[in-house]
Amino acid sequence: MRARKPRAACADYLSDALTLLGGWTQDGVQLKRVLVCDDSQHAALTERIKVAADTLRIRPHIRRLDGHTQICLAAQNGAAITAGEVTLAARIEDAYRTVVGRP
């Protein structure tokens, strides 16, 4: 049998992963990101996010405001950020680079 990893190690792992995702901020139990894109890029990005979110069973909050796309990821029931939200944030970053064409 394997020993369970301490809970703090998981939190450290998620914090380390978040530091690699530039632009994402953690606000309590939410991850937030604001992206610059035009309306057609927003539509394409939203579709890609929807596919990834459905796969991970996460419901991101996405809105368009003044030429910016605002994304908020939060665990259900106000729980702490999980690996699922961090994974979705990474997939959103990849989708954004693909849609907008920025490295």
Side-chain angles (χ1 to χ4, degrees):
M1 250 202 274
R2 264 193 199 168
R4 284 188 141 179
K5 288 185 181 179
R7 189 113 173 116
C10 181
D12 290 342
Y13 165 77
L14 294 178
S15 296
D16 290 346
L18 281 174
T19 60
L20 297 175
L21 295 173
W24 286 90
T25 58
Q26 186 172 356
D27 179 17
V29 293
Q30 299 179 17
L31 295 178
K32 294 182 178 183
R33 178 83 156 103
V34 176
L35 303 168
V36 178
C37 54
D38 62 31
D39 289 338
S40 64
Q41 291 169 332
H42 170 80
L45 181 61
T46 301
E47 284 301 313
R48 289 173 184 252
I49 292 171
K50 183 182 180 328
V51 171
D54 285 347
T55 301
L56 295 167
R57 294 187 174 128
I58 297 173
R59 296 287 164 242
H61 299 281
I62 304 169
R63 74 179 207 173
R64 184 91 174 126
L65 185 65
D66 297 329
H68 295 84
T69 298
Q70 299 174 344
I71 303 166
C72 178
L73 305 176
Q76 292 183 5
N77 302 326
I81 299 296
T82 66
E85 284 83 29
V86 176
T87 299
L88 182 55
R91 288 187 182 185
I92 290 170
E93 284 298 312
D94 288 340
Y96 179 64
R97 284 191 289 270
T98 300
V99 168
V100 177
R102 293 184 182 163

